[in-house]
Amino acid sequence: MSEKAYKQEELAGLVKGILTKVADSLITRVAPPVLADENSLALALGEKEIEDLSSTKAKCALVPLGVNVENISTIEVERPRLAMMTLLNLFYEAPDFHKGVHKTAVVHPEAKIGRNVSIGPNVVVSRGAVIGDNTKLLANVYIGKFASIGENCLFHPGVNIGDFVQIKNRCIIHHGASIGADGFSFVTESPDNIETARKEGEIKGGKESQKVYKIPSLGSVLIEDDVEIGANTTIDRGTIENTTIGAQTKIDNLVMIGHNCKIGCACMIVSQVGIAGSCNIGDRVVIAGQAGLKDHTDIGSDSIVLAKAGVTKSYPERSVIMGAPAVPRKDFIRRMKYLAEAEVMVQKYKKYQHLLEDYEKFLNEDAKI
């Protein structure tokens, strides 16, 4: 790892912060206060980290605006997390890559390779594929036929890009992601259990076996500029139209996006989310971890789907939904309040249950007279 060293004044200027009590130590790394040494910039973004500064070995810390710390220098910033992003980029070590085309790579003669492209060991670039300028394909990446990859992209080892997939500029795709596999789409000759349950509200029949036919996927996947896709995430191609991912959207590891989905711009989709086929997600939507969306569901722009929500119907813009089945957050909280009140009522009932039973016994005996 190369040694990078910066003066405190340099770092304060980069993050547009206010520097106090300047010390003459050089900063060679960033670290939490409890792990920091004399050459570290301690990152104290929250209350716990600010408390830890009392025992840190660091001589300088990044803190929120207005935080005063005795005995060490501080760089005060209005948006600590934004400043942290700038600093981490400063100290970040990019992955190694092979310059040019590695001797073990297989590049089809009809593929078009741009300028300054890096194609690593065992990479396959198929017939008619296009790779834009300055794009880096690390080891074992597969690019399908007539796929189009834009400029300044970075594909980590083991990424698989299917046929006809279009990926625009400055996209990052992490280890093992699969973009453009066939959609999970099948049909039977007569209505199956799922169809009858949807129509009738119950399963009818179901004892007879019938052949299940695969519906081919003729569409592909379109990914716009500045999208980042996490490790082992899968995005299926569309049945006829493309599955699309809007610009600036960030997708975590282990996410599943089904065929025909339309994901808007600047969305945040967290790990283990499952989005069934033909869902439409607006712009700037946040879908938290392990949420699941039923097929043909629409989520309006600027909405938040909280963790583990089971979304079975569509919601308009600016919705905040949670629970399984998912409901608006206000409704969920109200229902939880009712459950708490019901528990109190049950306890009261049990306390006076014997009196109620005695009273009912009295009424029965009185009725016999």
Side-chain angles (χ1 to χ4, degrees), residues 67-120:
V67 171
N68 296 310
V69 183
E70 296 293 330
N71 304 322
I72 67 172
S73 302
T74 56
I75 300 174
E76 298 180 29
V77 291
E78 185 174 359
R79 285 182 57 79
R81 190 169 174 83
L82 184 64
M84 181 185 71
M85 178 275 298
T86 300
L87 294 170
L88 292 185
N89 272 296
L90 196 64
F91 288 96
Y92 175 70
E93 290 287 339
D96 292 341
F97 59 89
H98 180 81
K99 293 183 179 179
V101 180
H102 194 274
K103 63 182 180 180
T104 62
V106 178
V107 179
H108 195 281
E110 295 180 24
K112 297 179 181 179
I113 309 300
R115 294 171 298 176
N116 196 33
V117 168
S118 169
I119 298 180

Side-chain angles (χ1 to χ4, degrees), residues 116-353:
N116 196 33
V117 168
S118 169
I119 298 180
N122 302 315
V123 169
V124 175
V125 181
S126 301
R127 177 169 61 94
V130 177
I131 311 297
D133 296 347
N134 305 309
T135 283
K136 298 175 178 62
L137 308 179
L138 303 189
N140 300 309
V141 168
Y142 176 85
I143 307 295
K145 67 182 180 184
F146 297 104
S148 175
I149 313 301
E151 299 179 358
N152 298 292
C153 292
L154 171 61
F155 291 3
H156 287 267
V159 168
N160 288 281
I161 306 298
D163 298 344
F164 304 102
V165 169
Q166 295 177 268
I167 298 175
K168 297 293 184 68
N169 304 308
R170 299 176 300 280
C171 291
I172 300 173
I173 304 181
H174 290 273
H175 306 71
S178 173
I179 314 299
D182 281 354
F184 189 75
S185 190
F186 301 89
V187 67
T188 52
E189 290 183 347
S190 58
D192 60 11
N193 290 341
I194 295 176
E195 292 176 84
T196 57
R198 282 178 171 173
K199 185 176 180 180
E200 307 291 341
E202 60 179 324
I203 297 174
K204 294 184 177 180
K207 296 181 180 180
E208 63 280 353
S209 296
Q210 54 180 322
K211 187 172 181 179
V212 179
Y213 296 95
K214 175 183 174 65
I215 298 176
S217 297
L218 302 186
S220 193
V221 178
L222 170 61
I223 296 175
E224 298 287 355
D225 291 343
D226 300 297
V227 170
E228 184 160 352
I229 297 170
N232 294 318
T233 281
T234 61
I235 302 175
D236 285 350
R237 60 193 297 184
T239 305
I240 299 175
E241 299 182 52
N242 288 336
T243 301
T244 62
I245 310 295
Q248 289 281 346
T249 284
K250 313 301 179 185
I251 302 172
D252 199 357
N253 303 334
L254 298 169
V255 170
M256 166 62 203
I257 298 177
H259 60 282
N260 303 335
C261 286
K262 310 293 183 187
I263 310 296
C265 298
C267 293
M268 301 286 286
I269 302 177
V270 185
S271 182
Q272 297 184 23
V273 164
I275 302 178
S278 301
C279 289
N280 292 304
I281 310 298
D283 297 334
R284 300 171 300 280
V285 172
V286 176
I287 306 179
Q290 296 188 334
L293 276 66
K294 173 186 170 294
D295 59 295
H296 295 85
T297 298
D298 296 344
I299 302 295
S301 294
D302 300 297
S303 294
I304 299 174
V305 180
L306 294 176
K308 294 190 175 182
V311 183
T312 60
K313 64 178 183 179
S314 297
Y315 285 89
E317 294 182 354
R318 300 182 182 276
S319 296
V320 180
I321 57 178
M322 63 187 301
V327 294
R329 183 174 180 271
K330 291 181 179 179
D331 292 347
F332 184 87
I333 292 172
R334 184 169 63 249
R335 292 178 185 183
M336 295 303 294
K337 182 180 178 182
Y338 288 159
L339 284 175
E341 292 174 350
E343 184 177 1
V344 173
M345 292 177 64
V346 169
Q347 294 301 322
K348 286 184 178 180
Y349 170 78
K350 289 182 177 179
K351 182 177 180 180
Y352 298 108
Q353 183 178 2

Side-chain angles (χ1 to χ4, degrees), residues 11 27-32 39-43 87-88 91:
L11 298 182
I27 303 298
T28 60
R29 61 193 290 260
V30 292
N39 295 112
S40 300
L41 177 66
L43 301 178
L87 294 170
L88 292 185
F91 288 96

